[in-house]
Amino acid sequence: MNNINHPAHYCQGGIECIEAIKAATIGLMGMEAVCTANAIKYLWRWKRKNGTEDLRKARWYLDRLIKEVEDGVRTARIPEGNSTEDDRASGGRGFSADGAGEDGHYTDGAERPSV
């Protein structure tokens, strides 16, 4: 496997993690998309990469997603087919896939797990 484009810990059962994330985040915006994607990523690879550390990271993103949904911060949905992948990942607000703004800083001040 190619460690840059197709690392073994992201390719399992004939499915690549990024493709599963792409499907799972259709219709999600902003932090909902970010937290969902990251939780999936860490759950996907935990047994083949960082063990319980990845499980803790997945839990962090799940807890954050629950907080976002319960607080009603991002509950709007993008109808499928009406957005680009970049819009889904950033909520159309210039955020990267990990939730950082264009300047690389996070707007909510929350501490992030190290990757």
Side-chain angles (χ1 to χ4, degrees), residues 3 8 16-17 20 22 30 46 58 67 74 78-79 82 98 111:
N3 274 340
E16 196 160 354
C17 181
K22 181 178 177 181
W46 78 270
K67 181 183 182 316
R74 291 299 298 169
I78 299 174
N82 290 341
D98 71 353
E111 184 178 333

Side-chain angles (χ1 to χ4, degrees), residues 19-81:
E19 295 302 322
I21 289 171
K22 181 178 177 181
T25 57
I26 290 174
L28 298 179
M29 294 175 55
M31 288 303 292
E32 287 183 354
V34 169
C35 291
T36 299
N38 281 312
I40 291 168
K41 172 180 74 173
Y42 290 120
L43 288 170
W44 193 278
R45 74 182 202 185
W46 78 270
K47 190 74 169 178
R48 290 167 183 83
K49 191 164 184 193
N50 295 324
T52 56
E53 178 183 333
D54 278 350
L55 292 174
R56 283 192 219 51
K57 289 178 182 181
R59 181 174 51 201
W60 188 93
Y61 282 104
L62 286 171
D63 289 342
R64 180 60 189 256
L65 177 59
I66 291 166
K67 181 183 182 316
E68 293 287 329
V69 172
E70 288 178 347
D71 290 349
V73 174
R74 291 299 298 169
T75 57
R77 299 286 185 269
I78 299 174
E80 190 173 335

